[in-house]
Amino acid sequence: MTDNLEMSLEGVERRSLAEFTEQAYLNYSMYVIMDRALPHLGDGLKPVQRRIIYAMSELGLKASAKYKKSARTVGDVIGKFHPHGDSAAYEAMVLMAQPFSYRYPLVDGQGNWGSPDDPKSFAAMRYTESRLTRISELLLGELEQGTADWKPNFDGTLEEPMVLPAQVPHVLLNGTTGIAVGMATDIPPHNLREVVSACIHLLDQPQASVRELCEHIKGPDYPTDGEIISSREDIISAYETGRGSIRMRAVWNKEDGDIIITALPHQASPARILEQIAAQMQGKKLPMVADLRDESDHENPTRLVIVPRSNRVDLEALMSHLFSTTDLERTHRVNLNMIGVDGRPAVKALNTILREWNGFRINTVRRRLEHRLQKVLARLHILDGLLVAFLNIDEVIAIIRYEDEPKEALIARFNLTDIQAEAILDLKLRHLARLEEMKIRGEQDELNKEREGLEKILSSEARLKSLVKKELMAVAEEYGDDRRSPIVSRSEAQAFSEKDLITTEPVTVVLSDKGWIRAGKGHDLDPLSLSYKSGDQYLCAVKGRSNQDVVILDSSGRSYSLQSHTLPSARGQGDPLTGLLSPPPGATFIGLLMGEEKTPVLMATDAGYGFITRIGDLQGKNRAGKAAITVPNGGRVLPPTLIDTLDGALVVAVSNEGRMLVFPVGELPELTKGKGNKIITIPTARLLSREEFMLAVAVIVPGQQLLVHSGKRYLNMTLADLEHYRGERGRRGNKLPRGFQKVDRVEIVKNS
């Protein structure tokens, strides 16, 4: 049995499964890379695109021809050159016909070929008609002039060009995207005039850097009129490395108070953008937008209207938010990956691409000239034979008439070549009358002149380069157009934060002694008139705006922040802060702050230490808050004090023993956290026994008065009255008048 099996396997190759699968996958990978997904540097086309264009040229579908059904073209493509699905071939054809997808469309379509809203909404190929565009001649014009290498088609019955003889760097003009195995390509489109200008510069300066070439190629040029907002350095970096990204932004203007969007980024769908904005409106994330309309028509292909709720809306800020959160701003990848002239895929820098293409073009022109030279030489050879026949016309006729083998007789008699003899024998009788010596010699002179010109160019690299430059300039003159995508400098788009979307209105935040917090609308709210839980009472209140955070300070010296618009209403008794925050064990809440983030605040402990900080530095971003002020042994945190202005402000420190010290606020340091500097001297022993401590600290500015309360009595002091108590920071201070040795509190009021 085993012997029979061995005999049956004779001549069969045996390979391990691992080796077979690895080789099969590698073969598939190379096929996808080389024959499907990546464009060739020479003509900038993938195989399916090249086959579509060649098949259309073979069908005679030039720009001047009548349209033919797309199904006819697709049938020829898949039947003769591209044995794949018809839908894939048709989709590739559609892409080349869409003016919003291709910067320079190669197919001229008639019928429904899709729209920017939905590029894949094109009609079936049995309905649409197509032909080539004029610019496709730049790929096909020299095809029959000995410029292309040919290979058999998939079944060996026909031949197809391996690379089309492109007259411009089409790989950059229309760009392409593709995903192969292990690699991808994203080549953006460019402006024909700019690319040609860079090619010419590189012919003159072969070692030109990418930065020099970017003086000619400013950046990509997309089919849409959206703005390119990438910086010049980012664009140059993408061209130098072959990888990067390009950011595009919609163009808008203000018209009768409305926002009018007139151009979108490449591949941005107007319908999709309207959906994105409408979703934000429904989610109450765009309260400043009242209405949204699409007024696009034939005269205005893109016209999206955004109606603000009032004329007080900051349109610049609104558009910045929309740029950040919708497809009004898009980022396009740059990955200059292509199959080089050497047949290998690689990511190339801009100067490498253009240098290789210039070499490809010079070689193509040389092949074209050599092909033409061979044609000229062949015709001159025939003309030499025809001239011999004319000069001996009677004898030639006699030989043809009487000889059994006239061809050999002509060759022997007049020393002709086989080709010359064949040309003489192919002459029709009616042409003999026209066979005049002057005409033959005239054609010889013209062809000899052309031969000399061709040989001169082919023998000189400089002349060949000059011809290439001249032809490039002619192409740019005939087919070039202005840049569509302006390159501009714009600020970074910034989305609205949750605070920005909140309607700004005055609020009063109230904190109770037991740590219950609530907020009421308006600044005329009386916190003392509110109801409190049994055993609880009013502690403090602060006024601010609904889009501001409220800062809470606890007895351990930590600070916290909560969004004021999220606090419970003052109509109720509020919520306990311990449910919203996580203070240290035993800590109690002692004060509130609200205001702009840069508003200065005096932080102090009753040990006589303090410093200046800002509201923004006190905002804790989580439940545990942040360390704000260090509390010395025996000390306690005093409620924070807002400072209206630092100009001319004085710090007033009062101890419970009736001592007062006044000094300029500038003598205190500005810190984000810490213990601070000494404000007034409190003996450590007396502080630890709580016999003496700093009862209060305040900041007074011109136009204000200080009220010092002691029992039912109070002392009203102006800035002039405080001069008696001025001294250096950190001193003991002077005693207040008789009757104020025990101070209860101090209060700052405006001058009456």
Side-chain angles (χ1 to χ4, degrees):
M1 181 74 177
T2 306
D3 293 340
N4 292 337
L5 182 61
E6 289 292 335
M7 289 177 63
S8 66
L9 291 175
E10 277 187 32
V12 177
E13 182 183 359
R14 302 181 69 178
R15 298 167 64 186
S16 70
L17 183 61
E19 181 188 353
F20 174 78
T21 51
E22 179 183 352
Q23 198 60 44
Y25 188 70
L26 281 174
N27 290 339
Y28 166 73
S29 302
M30 288 307 297
Y31 168 77
V32 173
I33 291 168
M34 305 298 291
D35 289 319
R36 186 185 296 177
L38 299 189
H40 193 281
L41 185 145
D43 58 11
L45 299 173
K46 300 177 186 178
V48 65
Q49 296 168 330
R50 186 179 302 117
R51 287 162 175 165
I52 289 169
I53 291 170
Y54 178 64
M56 291 181 77
S57 72
E58 289 294 285
L59 284 169
L61 295 177
K62 295 189 176 180
S64 56
K66 289 183 178 180
Y67 293 97
K68 276 188 181 175
K69 286 288 184 185
S70 301
R72 174 75 184 276
T73 299
V74 172
D76 267 30
V77 170
I78 64 176
K80 293 180 178 178
F81 309 111
H82 197 70
H84 294 269
D86 57 346
S87 59
Y90 181 50
E91 195 166 320
M93 182 179 174
V94 167
L95 197 68
M96 292 191 287
Q98 292 176 336
F100 49 85
S101 296
Y102 260 42
R103 179 64 177 82
Y104 299 96
L106 298 174
V107 175
D108 178 9
Q110 191 168 257
N112 176 15
W113 290 81
S115 68
D117 271 337
D118 185 5
K120 295 196 175 183
S121 62
F122 49 85
M125 58 185 171
R126 61 182 177 274
Y127 299 119
T128 61
E129 298 178 338
S130 56
R131 65 185 178 189
L132 292 169
T133 57
R134 281 184 64 246
I135 206 165
S136 64
E137 279 299 305
L138 297 179
L139 295 169
L140 297 164
E142 299 173 352
L143 185 59
E144 303 299 332
Q145 299 178 32
T147 53
D149 293 323
W150 298 76
K151 65 178 181 180
N153 69 338
F154 64 90
D155 62 1
T157 58
L158 296 167
E159 285 198 325
E160 61 176 311
M162 296 174 69
V163 179
L164 297 179
Q167 298 174 47
V168 283
H170 185 261
V171 69
L172 290 179
L173 295 190
N174 276 322
T176 191
T177 61
I179 299 175
V181 177
M183 60 178 66
T185 183
D186 288 282
I187 305 173
H190 292 79
N191 184 272
L192 190 149
R193 286 177 182 164
E194 292 181 5
V195 171
V196 166
S197 177
C199 286
I200 292 171
H201 178 77
L202 203 58
L203 285 169
D204 294 329
Q205 306 286 338
Q207 301 307 316
S209 67
V210 169
R211 192 169 289 274
E212 290 171 11
L213 293 178
C214 284
E215 295 297 323
H216 302 270
I217 298 177
K218 307 298 182 185
D221 188 22
Y222 292 93
T224 54
D225 298 331
E227 298 173 340
I228 293 174
I229 61 169
S230 295
S231 68
R232 176 173 168 76
E233 288 305 314
D234 286 347
I235 294 173
I236 292 174
S237 173
Y239 284 142
E240 285 177 337
T241 62
R243 288 191 172 93
S245 61
I246 299 294
R247 284 191 300 138
M248 287 195 79
R249 184 176 285 185
V251 177
W252 69 280
N253 56 68
K254 185 178 177 182
E255 187 179 298
D256 298 329
D258 296 341
I259 294 171
I260 309 297
I261 298 169
T262 56
L264 298 176
H266 181 47
Q267 293 178 333
S269 163
R272 171 69 178 148
I273 289 170
L274 292 177
E275 284 176 16
Q276 291 172 332
I277 300 174
Q280 292 191 41
M281 292 171 67
Q282 290 171 359
K284 301 190 186 302
K285 294 182 179 179
L286 278 179
M288 65 288 293
V289 175
D291 194 16
L292 197 61
R293 296 194 303 272
D294 185 355
E295 296 182 353
S296 305
D297 54 27
H298 289 294
E299 291 183 9
N300 303 288
T302 301
R303 184 180 169 86
L304 306 183
V305 182
I306 300 173
V307 182
R309 195 163 292 280
S310 73
N311 56 11
R312 294 188 302 275
V313 174
D314 185 345
L315 301 187
E316 292 282 350
L318 172 57
M319 287 306 296
S320 179
H321 168 79
L322 292 177
F323 288 141
S324 178
T325 58
T326 71
D327 285 348
L328 287 173
E329 180 176 318
R330 294 192 66 172
T331 299
H332 298 278
R333 286 177 303 185
V334 175
N335 183 13
L336 305 180
N337 192 3
M338 62 196 73
I339 299 170
V341 176
D342 59 359
R344 296 181 178 181
V347 176
K348 301 177 185 288
L350 178 65
N351 55 350
T352 305
I353 293 171
L354 294 182
R355 193 179 294 120
E356 280 193 37
W357 188 85
N358 277 345
F360 168 82
R361 181 60 188 160
I362 289 170
N363 185 53
T364 300
V365 172
R366 181 184 287 112
R367 290 178 66 172
R368 187 188 79 208
L369 298 180
E370 287 172 347
H371 178 78
R372 177 59 187 164
L373 181 60
Q374 293 304 315
K375 292 277 188 184
V376 168
L377 292 174
R379 180 61 180 166
L380 282 171
H381 183 64
I382 289 172
L383 288 176
D384 288 341
L386 293 178
L387 190 59
V388 168
F390 174 78
L391 295 174
N392 302 277
I393 190 67
D394 293 335
E395 192 174 352
V396 167
I397 291 171
I399 289 173
I400 293 171
R401 185 175 182 182
Y402 297 112
E403 290 290 336
D404 292 334
E405 297 289 341
K407 184 175 179 181
E408 284 71 14
L410 287 172
I411 291 171
R413 172 65 183 86
F414 300 110
N415 196 25
L416 300 174
T417 64
D418 189 270
I419 294 172
Q420 289 172 324
E422 196 69 45
I424 292 170
L425 291 172
D426 284 344
L427 280 173
K428 295 180 181 179
L429 283 175
R430 63 183 178 185
H431 289 159
L432 292 178
R434 298 168 53 202
L435 198 62
E436 301 172 10
E437 182 181 2
M438 291 302 293
K439 285 185 179 180
I440 294 173
R441 293 193 185 279
E443 188 178 351
Q444 278 182 325
D445 291 341
E446 285 180 14
L447 292 176
N448 276 319
K449 195 179 291 183
E450 185 179 353
R451 176 182 56 78
E452 289 173 8
L454 291 171
E455 287 174 344
K456 273 186 181 180
I457 294 171
L458 287 168
S459 63
S460 167
E461 280 293 323
R463 284 195 177 98
L464 193 58
K465 278 188 179 180
S466 295
L467 177 61
V468 170
K469 283 194 287 186
K470 185 178 177 182
E471 290 179 351
L472 282 171
M473 286 188 281
V475 167
E477 181 67 29
E478 183 175 357
Y479 295 97
D481 57 1
D482 295 332
R483 166 175 279 279
R484 290 187 193 171
S485 303
I487 301 176
V488 295
S489 177
R490 300 289 187 204
S491 58
E492 190 77 24
Q494 189 71 42
F496 289 136
S497 65
E498 193 174 347
K499 290 183 189 176
D500 296 328
L501 299 173
I502 299 165
T503 53
T504 304
E505 54 188 11
V507 293
T508 301
V509 180
V510 181
L511 179 65
S512 75
D513 190 52
K514 300 293 185 183
W516 288 64
I517 195 167
R518 48 188 151 168
K521 291 183 180 179
H523 286 167
D524 54 356
L525 178 71
D526 181 10
L528 295 172
S529 66
L530 299 176
S531 66
Y532 294 86
K533 287 191 174 291
S534 177
D536 200 2
Q537 61 183 353
Y538 165 76
L539 175 66
C540 63
V542 67
K543 296 174 181 178
R545 311 291 297 183
S546 57
N547 63 339
Q548 293 175 336
D549 285 358
V550 58
V551 175
I552 304 109
L553 194 69
D554 73 10
S555 58
S556 72
R558 297 188 72 80
S559 62
Y560 314 81
S561 63
L562 293 171
Q563 295 174 341
S564 58
H565 71 277
T566 64
L567 297 177
S569 170
R571 293 194 185 109
Q573 293 177 329
D575 288 341
L577 276 174
T578 49
L580 305 173
L581 305 173
S582 302
T588 57
F589 299 102
I590 63 165
L592 300 175
L593 280 174
M594 281 187 82
E596 299 296 330
E597 290 189 358
K598 293 187 177 180
T599 303
V601 179
L602 174 60
M603 299 289 291
T605 60
D606 66 3
Y609 288 85
F611 59 91
I612 305 297
T613 188
R614 306 279 173 170
I615 286 183
D617 295 327
L618 296 173
Q619 292 175 347
K621 301 301 181 186
N622 52 43
R623 288 176 59 97
K626 61 187 292 189
I629 185 167
T630 305
V631 186
N633 289 337
R636 296 175 184 172
V637 180
L638 293 176
T641 304
L642 273 179
I643 302 174
D644 293 334
T645 175
L646 295 174
D647 295 335
L650 297 174
V651 176
V652 179
V654 181
S655 74
N656 65 322
E657 293 291 333
R659 288 185 175 274
M660 179 185 286
L661 179 65
V662 178
F663 60 87
V665 73
E667 293 185 15
L668 281 178
E670 186 165 329
L671 307 172
T672 57
K673 63 179 181 178
K675 179 180 176 181
N677 286 8
K678 187 179 285 187
I679 296 175
I680 189 170
T681 297
I682 304 292
T684 305
R686 290 178 62 82
L687 174 68
L688 290 171
S689 64
R690 299 301 293 173
E691 292 178 48
E692 188 178 350
F693 49 86
M694 185 169 69
L695 176 80
V697 64
V699 178
I700 187 169
V701 298
Q704 293 179 335
Q705 292 179 324
L706 179 73
L707 298 182
V708 181
H709 294 267
S710 178
K712 294 183 179 181
R713 304 176 64 187
Y714 69 90
L715 192 63
N716 193 339
M717 307 179 76
T718 65
L719 285 178
D721 299 327
L722 294 175
E723 283 298 317
H724 173 68
Y725 301 95
R726 287 192 69 148
E728 292 182 10
R729 177 185 59 77
R731 295 300 181 94
R732 288 278 285 160
N734 291 334
K735 279 279 191 178
L736 286 164
R738 190 181 183 91
F740 288 91
Q741 277 72 38
K742 294 292 182 182
V743 178
D744 297 326
R745 62 188 175 91
V746 298
E747 184 182 357
I748 300 291
V749 296
K750 289 185 179 180
N751 286 340
S752 55

